Amino acid sequence: RVVSLAPPDQAASDAACLKLCRAGVLNNAAHASVSSGDKEVVGSPTEVAIFNAGAALLGGLQGVAKLKAEVGLAFEIPFNSDNKWMVTVHASDKLEDSTDPYLCIIKGAPERVLARCALDEESLRHADEALQGLMQQGRRVLCVAQRSIRADEVPADGKFYGTGEADCSFGL
């Protein structure tokens, strides 16, 4: 499903938009920094924009801090030019919409992220049309996807590792 951010009063009631915001702040290299008594978000402009958009609907910096404390960060593959995506894995037992132990979030180049999604032809066509429309407007476009990691998919030693698809200890 393609989700766009609407004004906060409309988007706050949209569960899909809230999931997108949650994924955007969890799979993010930006972080809140407290310096000289002022709170600011530090990181690349794109990461900061994603973080701030998500934080606006998740209760601000305090809401993001609470979420991150609840789910932690079990594993991360940082963005790099070879993969063209970033992956994070989080404990999901405290998320009300999950019954599985972990949540995997991937964010990156649309063609790389969509290639890992189980989409039917119509959904893929709809996503591609939306992406093309945004790119024709000169907008920078990233895709975000998430999937649950079932207990039987967790590596036998309980440790996630890898640097990319070829050596990852779990299915992306």
Side-chain angles (χ1 to χ4, degrees):
R1 177 172 171 201
V2 177
V3 178
S4 61
L5 290 176
D9 58 329
Q10 295 173 4
S13 64
D14 186 344
C17 189
L18 289 174
K19 279 185 179 181
L20 176 64
C21 290
R22 179 179 72 192
V25 299
L26 291 175
N27 181 291
N28 200 306
H31 62 280
S33 175
V34 179
S35 62
S36 304
D38 294 327
K39 292 182 181 179
E40 63 179 327
V41 178
V42 178
S44 74
T46 300
E47 293 287 82
V48 169
I50 293 168
F51 187 100
N52 286 336
L57 295 178
L58 295 172
L61 293 178
Q62 288 180 332
V64 171
K66 180 180 179 225
L67 173 64
K68 287 186 171 200
E70 288 175 352
V71 300
L73 177 63
F75 177 72
E76 176 182 33
I77 300 176
F79 179 88
N80 66 57
S81 59
D82 291 332
N83 293 335
K84 296 187 179 171
W85 46 255
M86 174 182 183
V87 165
T88 55
V89 175
H90 308 271
S92 61
D93 58 334
K94 293 203 166 83
L95 299 175
E96 60 188 49
D97 60 341
S98 179
T99 58
D100 294 306
Y102 292 97
L103 177 67
C104 176
I105 303 170
I106 184 170
K107 175 184 74 207
E111 68 277 5
R112 299 290 179 102
V113 173
L114 290 174
R116 286 171 175 69
C117 296
L119 296 174
D120 61 46
E121 214 171 291
E122 182 180 343
S123 296
L124 190 56
R125 185 175 54 253
H126 178 70
D128 188 55
E129 288 172 4
L131 291 168
Q132 293 304 319
L134 291 167
M135 289 187 278
Q136 286 174 356
Q137 296 172 29
R139 303 218 178 169
R140 180 171 179 165
V141 181
L142 296 173
C143 282
V144 178
Q146 69 178 34
R147 78 169 190 88
S148 294
I149 298 176
R150 298 183 318 268
D152 64 340
E153 295 177 292
V154 176
D157 61 2
K159 296 179 182 173
F160 296 96
Y161 59 86
T163 60
E165 186 172 18
D167 68 345
C168 205
S169 65
F170 63 100
L172 294 176

